[in-house]
Amino acid sequence: MNTFTGSYSEFGTYLAQKLIERNHSFNTHVNRRTLNKQLKIYQKFWPELIEESKAVAKIVNLPEDEILYDEIAGTIDNQRRHVVAAHDAVSEACTIFAIHENGKTFVGRNYDWDSSARDYFQVYQINLIGKNRYFAFSDEGTYPRHHGRRTWKLYMEDAINEQGLYIGLTASKLRDKYWGYGFSSYHIIRYIAETCKTTKEALGVFRKIPVAVPKNFLIADRTGDIAVVEHAAKDYKVIRPKSILGADYLVHTNHCLDQGYTKVDPVLRTNPSANTFLRYAEADWMVRKELPNYQFTDLWRVLRSSYYVYNENTIWSLALELSEPRYNFYRDTAQGQKQIKFNF
């Protein structure tokens, strides 16, 4: 596990040293127009991240603009150029769910992606001065046919902070308004983990800060406030839990649940082999059949004893009881499944 305590500037130095060790290949082409628009957003909402990126630039001995573009702007130009490839990958296959019952709040999550990410993903424990401590899970920017040491950098997909707030994402295939200017998906996860205590506060962040590309974000806090933000870059919808047998629960995979978005969601047309509906149905059924009196151990059954939810693209699994707190992390090894318990 990677651990850090210190300031944003010191975190930049820490990250830069890792990038040097991994021989990271920076994108030295700078689209000035995109960078300038992004700088205005980050300077308004998160100037500390700019400070952090400038510290990276100093250590790796590259111009600040190149590092800033790589960190806050390159994602947008990549989305604009490669939207078809970015949204049609067969391996987009995450499942995420949350349950609140009897004062207990559970989250289950399988992160599914290109199998090579198993060799590169990292777990971080981060304690920035004046911010919430949190654990973050990163696939390190691995994507099909372009992975390895030269692309290895912090790219958060899940985070749990000391306040008992969780946020994680699943991929989206929304094409309507499919890119804009704003935070990257991993930056909005990190920002919320560092600054928010509750789901209500996290939803307030989405109201004020734009997000650049479509993703689905599940948010849950220790009190049982659960929501999914289906983000379409230039707008978004909030999905709230279903209620059954005295429990509130919410499942999400990779297709839209909002009725308005389903009309423009091309999930089956662009990827006929997508199993997002199968994973959704299986997770939904496996959650419901354990109600009432859902237990922490029931999370493992959905995450690791399922047929569609647990699949060849599963990189890691999280079983979380936010109200205790109790956190388990699972991954596959040559010797079988490995379980790690972690906590603050």
Side-chain angles (χ1 to χ4, degrees):
M1 182 178 293
N2 304 276
T3 59
F4 173 82
T5 298
S7 68
Y8 276 94
S9 181
E10 290 168 337
F11 191 44
T13 299
Y14 170 85
L15 293 175
Q17 290 167 344
K18 285 187 172 295
L19 294 170
I20 292 171
E21 291 170 4
R22 297 163 177 176
N23 194 27
H24 179 74
S25 179
F26 290 96
N27 184 352
T28 56
H29 165 75
V30 175
N31 182 329
R32 180 64 56 182
R33 183 174 184 273
T34 303
L35 178 57
N36 288 342
K37 285 182 175 292
Q38 286 292 94
L39 276 171
K40 290 180 181 178
I41 294 170
Y42 279 83
Q43 285 168 342
K44 179 179 180 180
F45 295 112
W46 206 6
E48 298 96 331
L49 192 78
I50 297 174
E51 173 191 343
E52 178 182 295
S53 293
K54 288 181 177 180
V56 172
K58 183 177 181 180
I59 298 300
V60 301
N61 195 29
L62 285 174
E64 289 181 355
D65 281 0
E66 291 184 9
I67 300 302
L68 284 166
Y69 180 79
D70 186 82
E71 183 65 25
I72 70 173
T75 298
I76 292 172
D77 287 337
N78 183 65
Q79 180 81 2
R80 190 160 40 189
R81 288 191 302 265
H82 305 297
V83 64
V84 173
H87 281 253
D88 291 352
V90 174
S91 55
E92 288 182 353
C94 297
T95 303
I96 199 166
F97 59 94
I99 305 109
H100 178 64
E101 183 194 29
N102 297 328
K104 298 179 179 181
T105 305
F106 305 100
V107 171
R109 180 316 188 264
N110 272 6
Y111 181 73
D112 304 341
W113 187 225
D114 184 80
S115 59
S116 59
R118 290 193 181 96
D119 297 326
Y120 307 114
F121 81 87
Q122 297 287 303
V123 182
Y124 292 81
Q125 185 176 9
I126 300 170
N127 181 15
L128 286 159
I129 295 170
K131 304 296 181 180
N132 297 319
R133 292 180 298 157
Y134 62 102
F135 289 94
F137 298 80
S138 166
D139 66 9
E140 300 296 272
T142 304
Y143 59 94
R145 298 180 301 280
H146 189 78
H147 50 74
R149 289 172 59 87
R150 292 178 65 78
T151 63
W152 213 9
K153 64 178 291 185
L154 177 61
Y155 203 108
M156 297 178 186
E157 312 289 353
D158 298 277
I160 312 105
N161 71 22
E162 62 182 327
Q163 309 295 338
L165 178 69
Y166 166 83
I167 179 169
L169 63 76
T170 68
S172 170
K173 292 184 178 293
L174 274 179
R175 291 293 184 80
D176 188 41
K177 305 176 183 177
Y178 56 74
W179 73 273
Y181 296 105
F183 279 21
S184 63
S185 58
Y186 60 97
H187 281 163
I188 201 72
I189 286 176
R190 180 180 162 187
Y191 182 88
I192 285 172
E194 292 179 6
T195 64
C196 296
K197 296 180 180 180
T198 65
T199 298
K200 182 178 179 180
E201 290 181 1
L203 292 175
V205 169
F206 281 103
R207 284 193 294 270
K208 72 177 183 179
I209 299 179
V211 177
V213 297
K215 297 289 181 181
N216 307 306
F217 302 90
L218 186 141
I219 314 165
D221 63 27
R222 61 173 44 143
T223 70
D225 192 3
I226 301 166
V228 162
V229 174
E230 292 186 342
H231 216 294
K234 296 179 182 177
D235 58 16
Y236 67 90
K237 304 296 182 183
V238 177
I239 310 297
R240 286 294 190 173
K242 298 186 286 187
S243 296
I244 182 174
L245 299 174
D248 296 326
Y249 79 99
L250 185 53
V251 176
H252 210 288
T253 49
N254 304 106
H255 60 279
C256 292
L257 301 181
D258 176 78
Q259 291 184 353
Y261 280 172
T262 57
K263 299 175 183 178
V264 294
D265 184 358
V267 61
L268 291 180
R269 176 170 52 81
T270 60
N271 183 6
S273 64
N275 65 5
T276 178
F277 298 98
L278 291 172
R279 286 181 286 108
Y280 179 89
E282 183 181 46
D284 186 80
W285 175 75
M286 293 185 77
V287 168
R288 285 188 289 109
K289 78 184 185 71
E290 301 300 335
L291 295 172
N293 299 317
Y294 203 88
Q295 301 297 319
F296 181 72
T297 52
D298 295 330
L299 293 169
W300 185 89
R301 294 186 179 91
V302 183
L303 297 172
R304 292 272 155 167
S305 292
S306 47
Y307 185 79
Y308 297 105
V309 173
Y310 178 48
N311 57 72
E312 62 183 5
N313 292 319
T314 300
I315 308 301
W316 70 74
S317 303
L318 295 174
L320 314 173
E321 187 172 355
L322 302 179
S323 46
E324 278 297 320
R326 182 160 44 163
Y327 307 142
N328 282 3
F329 163 72
Y330 304 95
R331 65 182 178 90
D332 296 327
T333 69
Q335 292 74 39
Q337 296 181 17
K338 185 174 182 179
Q339 174 186 338
I340 299 172
K341 297 180 180 180
F342 63 100
N343 216 320
F344 294 97

